[in-house]
Amino acid sequence: MAVKQQKKVIISCAVTGAIHTPSLSPYFPATPDQIVQQAVDAYHAGAAILHIHARNQEGKPVGDFETFGYILSAIKKRCPNAVIGITTGGANGMSTEERFSVIDYFKPEMASANGGSMNFSYHKLLNGVEHTKYDWEREYVTRTYDNVFKNTFKDIEYCLKTMVASGTLPEYEVFDLGQLNNLAYFKKEGLLPDPIYIQFVPGVMGGYPASNENVMYLIDQAKKLLGDNIQYSTVAPGRRMFRIATFMALNGGNVRVGMEDSLYIKPNGELAQDCAAQVIKIKHILECLDFEIANADEAREMLKLKGASKVSF
């Protein structure tokens, strides 16, 4: 009897993000060279996809082409076969144009595409940190208490059209149920390229709470609104990252780890020493559950990506 081929699981690593600040962990990849090194190590540890934000020498999130180009080119030079995706979420305070300009300029294989506007607060992130390493950190996080993460229908349409023109696959970051309805609208408009790839994002203050029940509900609703052939993963923030990521794999999805999502290696507060340690842990968990891990070429095939030779960095 022939054995049914099991779908392989893609491991993504979100290296640095735009939320955590350098004072939260001595291991956090804050500078461009640290981001590059941790991305390279995560790839060699088993991550097929590297999700990249840019930061300057003080660890502050930035969106300028020079810094982004340095980071992207350095990673590609050292890991020429890695799938490199970039953010359009940018950082709080960036304009819509600034966030999206990197797509047309760098034409990556993948990029995040946010599903809608929302309150997005992490204003208590530095509570308990008496002295910050850099002056910018405390104001950067506390101002999010009065922050709306703006992604209007006009913004989303512009983002999608830019990605289609650049041959870039959107990763739809979904923070709440209404954002699935937004994507359903754009599917009817013919603006969602195939395949539809969703990153469910539970646990953000302003979005839906992180629980198995909520994740299952969002998967079910996504399939009803967007079709059973969607592919998906999860951005699992905080100390329970590995538990939620594993739950996603058990329910037909892919997984994402990295210090954008969590600074920890254990829920008791033990800090991860690098992103590669998180990749190694989730890979071990998945292999213990008899999952096979997709390499970069297999991830490209599963997501119908254009290939590393067709990016502009």
Side-chain angles (χ1 to χ4, degrees):
M1 181 183 295
V3 178
K4 184 179 179 181
Q5 185 70 32
Q6 177 180 259
K7 181 185 83 70
K8 293 187 177 183
V9 175
I10 300 169
I11 299 176
S12 296
C13 180
V15 179
T16 190
I19 295 176
H20 294 127
T21 71
S23 297
L24 292 168
S25 171
Y27 310 113
F28 182 69
T31 69
D33 286 333
Q34 289 170 347
I35 294 168
V36 170
Q37 187 61 56
Q38 291 217 25
V40 170
D41 292 343
Y43 172 74
H44 289 301
I49 298 173
L50 303 171
H51 178 70
I52 303 299
H53 289 241
R55 290 176 181 252
N56 64 19
Q57 291 296 337
E58 286 195 342
K60 188 174 184 178
V62 294
D64 64 277
F65 295 156
E66 182 179 0
T67 307
F68 244 125
Y70 173 81
I71 293 169
L72 296 172
S73 298
I75 295 170
K76 186 181 178 185
K77 182 177 180 180
R78 295 175 62 182
C79 303
N81 200 43
V83 176
I84 302 174
I86 62 177
T87 182
T88 62
N92 76 70
M94 289 184 184
S95 68
T96 301
E97 292 75 17
E98 187 179 9
R99 286 167 43 205
F100 295 152
S101 62
V102 292
I103 304 304
D104 183 56
Y105 192 86
F106 292 110
K107 295 179 171 53
E109 292 190 78
M110 303 178 69
S112 59
N114 297 281
S117 300
M118 62 178 295
N119 293 332
F120 196 132
S121 181
Y122 44 95
H123 63 286
K124 293 186 176 182
L125 193 64
L126 287 168
N127 284 11
V129 177
E130 186 175 352
H131 301 290
T132 59
K133 187 174 181 180
Y134 298 106
D135 292 340
W136 64 267
E137 295 181 59
R138 198 168 301 279
E139 190 274 336
Y140 178 81
V141 303
T142 56
R143 73 187 185 203
T144 63
Y145 196 58
D146 190 32
N147 178 60
V148 173
F149 184 30
K150 177 178 171 289
N151 295 283
T152 65
F153 281 98
K154 183 179 179 181
D155 294 337
I156 297 169
E157 180 178 341
Y158 174 76
C159 180
L160 293 175
K161 287 182 176 178
T162 301
M163 289 192 186
V164 168
S166 300
T168 299
L169 179 72
E171 291 182 88
Y172 304 108
E173 296 193 345
V174 170
F175 298 81
D176 226 332
L177 175 62
Q179 297 184 3
L180 288 176
N181 286 328
N182 297 348
L183 295 182
Y185 164 77
F186 284 110
K187 181 181 180 182
K188 290 179 182 177
E189 294 293 302
L191 289 178
L192 301 193
D194 182 53
I196 296 173
Y197 190 49
I198 298 174
Q199 288 279 7
F200 295 104
V201 192
V204 172
M205 185 174 176
Y208 71 99
S211 70
N212 291 348
E213 293 83 0
N214 285 340
V215 171
M216 285 297 299
Y217 178 73
L218 266 291
I219 293 173
D220 176 68
Q221 292 303 304
K223 289 180 177 179
K224 288 177 179 177
L225 287 167
L226 301 169
D228 288 333
N229 60 338
I230 61 170
Q231 298 192 52
Y232 46 90
S233 180
T234 187
V235 177
R239 300 187 184 201
R240 306 294 179 182
M241 175 175 69
F242 296 100
R243 185 175 300 180
I244 297 174
T246 302
F247 183 78
M248 181 60 70
L250 290 168
N251 285 279
N254 299 305
V255 302
R256 183 173 119 165
V257 295
M259 288 207 203
E260 172 174 352
D261 304 340
S262 175
L263 300 175
Y264 304 100
I265 195 70
K266 292 182 179 179
N268 65 2
E270 181 181 338
L271 295 170
Q273 294 195 12
D274 56 19
C275 289
Q278 297 178 332
V279 173
I280 290 168
K281 179 172 178 176
I282 194 63
K283 183 180 179 185
H284 175 70
I285 292 169
L286 294 171
E287 289 177 338
C288 285
L289 294 171
D290 298 325
F291 286 105
E292 292 185 68
I293 310 302
N295 61 33
D297 286 332
E298 290 167 331
R300 280 191 179 90
E301 183 178 354
M302 292 166 67
L303 298 176
K304 301 181 182 178
L305 303 179
K306 63 183 180 181
S309 65
K310 295 181 181 179
V311 301
S312 296
F313 56 86

